[in-house]
Amino acid sequence: MNDKQARKMKGKKGNFLIAYNIQSAVDYDTKLICAINVTQSPTDHYQLPAIADKAIKNIKKIPEHMSADTIYLNPTSLSYFKNKNIDGLIPTRKQSKEIIGKLNKNPFHKDHFEYIGEKDVFKCPAGHYLTFYNQYTIPDKDPEKPAKIKRLYNNYTACKNCKYQKDCISQKQTHRTITENGNRLQIEMYFKMEKEEYQEEYSKRPCVEGPFGTFKEFYHIEQEVVIGKTKTEERIYLDALAYNIKRLYNLKYNKNNQKEDIMNFCENISVKHQLTLDVNIF
């Protein structure tokens, strides 16, 4: 509460905190932290370019794939992928639910309206097609961020004569309208994530959640005692550095083998074991 640079943010449990937003980039295979970014932004939506740039700078190469949570699916992130020539992977909210098996159980929920890109229509559970009829934009409160595009689909005639009308719409409605967010880049990403090869690649992403769990359980990053964005960032960098050193040790030495002194290991880290972390603060 004494930190003037911290901001009011909504936590995952719905409670509000005075905090910073911490972004991380983690390597699929090694689970090494490639970059850390501490921001004052209360949401993750537009944070991908900053953390991705840091990761690329630290590892000195553009990764073959870069995947992110659904919350990053917006024109800013997708334009970044396109401009940097990065093979990005971000599913829609519905695709994310399908991956974890959490589609809404209501058969007439939007989750069960199938989008058919070739025709640019939605197929409802009753087999009718809702066609595109209008779109509008909603300017972002921040003038530097792109406006949100809303695309509307409906089929008044089909809804009027549908036997499932009472199950699908309320008494005040005359027909069902599907509102879809997105521009052409988002539509392209949707079809990309429908392909099995990209779904398989994206399935590796959950493993990168491990480091943050370690941060919370063993490093207690939610209880940092430092004040100010710079000092908080330095503290998180130190946590990430400690994590990476331990991770490198575990990668080099099988846990079943006799453990050597970790200090000797750290002194002998060669260039090929370069830490993928920005440590300029030291």
Side-chain angles (χ1 to χ4, degrees):
M1 293 296 292
N2 295 326
D3 192 342
K4 294 181 180 179
Q5 291 183 308
R7 296 291 181 266
K8 185 178 180 180
M9 302 183 186
K10 190 174 183 179
K12 290 186 176 181
K13 296 181 180 180
N15 55 324
F16 284 91
L17 309 167
I18 303 300
Y20 291 100
N21 184 348
I22 301 173
Q23 304 283 313
S24 68
V26 180
D27 177 59
Y28 282 172
D29 298 323
T30 63
K31 297 183 180 62
L32 286 168
I33 298 172
C34 302
I36 290 284
N37 200 30
V38 178
T39 78
Q40 294 171 308
S41 175
T43 66
D44 298 336
H45 294 84
Y46 302 104
Q47 302 306 312
L48 188 144
I51 187 65
D53 276 339
K54 271 194 174 183
I56 291 171
K57 178 183 177 182
N58 292 338
I59 65 177
K60 296 180 173 59
K61 64 179 292 187
I62 294 178
E64 184 177 354
H65 299 286
M66 187 176 288
S67 61
D69 247 339
T70 298
I71 197 169
Y72 297 95
L73 184 61
N74 56 62
T76 298
S77 301
L78 299 182
S79 295
Y80 174 84
F81 285 150
K82 186 174 183 179
N83 294 336
K84 294 285 186 177
N85 198 27
I86 294 175
D87 193 7
L89 305 173
I90 308 178
T92 64
R93 184 175 299 178
K94 179 181 177 181
Q95 288 170 329
S96 292
K97 289 181 178 180
E98 287 177 333
I99 291 171
I100 61 176
K102 288 190 176 181
L103 289 176
N104 194 292
K105 294 181 180 180
N106 181 352
F108 293 97
H109 187 272
K110 182 183 174 182
D111 285 353
H112 302 287
F113 281 68
E114 179 188 358
Y115 179 68
I116 302 174
E118 295 81 1
K119 298 180 180 179
D120 192 22
V121 299
F122 277 90
K123 184 179 180 181
C124 79
H128 303 300
Y129 293 98
L130 281 65
T131 57
F132 169 77
Y133 77 94
N134 193 17
Q135 79 173 34
Y136 60 95
T137 58
I138 303 177
D140 196 280
K141 294 180 180 178
D142 186 342
E144 295 183 0
K145 295 176 182 177
K148 296 180 180 179
I149 299 175
K150 300 282 187 180
R151 295 170 59 84
L152 306 178
Y153 299 78
N154 68 16
N155 187 335
Y156 176 79
T157 303
C159 288
K160 183 179 180 181
N161 300 309
C162 182
K163 63 180 180 180
Y164 299 107
Q165 188 182 93
K166 293 182 179 179
D167 299 315
C168 188
I169 61 177
S170 67
Q171 292 181 349
K172 294 182 180 180
Q173 293 176 309
T174 58
H175 61 282
R176 182 69 177 269
T177 297
I178 294 293
T179 303
E180 187 71 3
N181 300 318
N183 58 13
R184 181 166 294 279
L185 288 176
Q186 287 170 284
I187 293 173
E188 289 176 0
M189 179 61 74
Y190 169 83
F191 286 112
K192 182 178 183 180
M193 293 304 299
E194 286 291 292
K195 296 180 180 178
E196 187 175 346
E197 58 186 292
Y198 290 111
Q199 291 176 1
E200 183 177 350
E201 186 65 33
Y202 188 81
S203 67
K204 301 175 183 177
R205 206 198 74 82
C207 71
V208 304
E209 300 288 349
F212 244 75
T214 300
F215 271 18
K216 290 180 180 179
E217 185 173 355
F218 298 106
Y219 293 85
H220 308 293
I221 64 168
E222 294 176 325
Q223 302 170 19
E224 296 288 8
V225 294
V226 295
I227 294 177
K229 182 175 179 294
T230 299
K231 289 185 177 180
T232 299
E233 198 165 47
E234 290 174 354
R235 179 60 183 267
I236 299 298
Y237 280 173
L238 285 170
D239 289 339
L241 180 61
Y243 168 86
N244 272 0
I245 289 174
K246 290 182 178 180
R247 182 63 189 152
L248 284 169
Y249 178 82
N250 289 333
L251 288 171
K252 184 169 182 179
Y253 299 105
N254 188 301
K255 291 183 179 180
N256 294 326
N257 295 338
Q258 184 177 2
K259 288 189 176 180
E260 298 181 20
D261 184 73
I262 195 166
M263 292 305 297
N264 291 332
F265 166 74
C266 294
E267 291 174 2
N268 293 314
I269 293 179
S270 62
V271 176
K272 67 180 180 179
H273 294 305
Q274 180 182 1
L275 292 178
T276 53
L277 182 68
D278 184 358
V279 290
N280 294 332
I281 59 170
F282 306 113

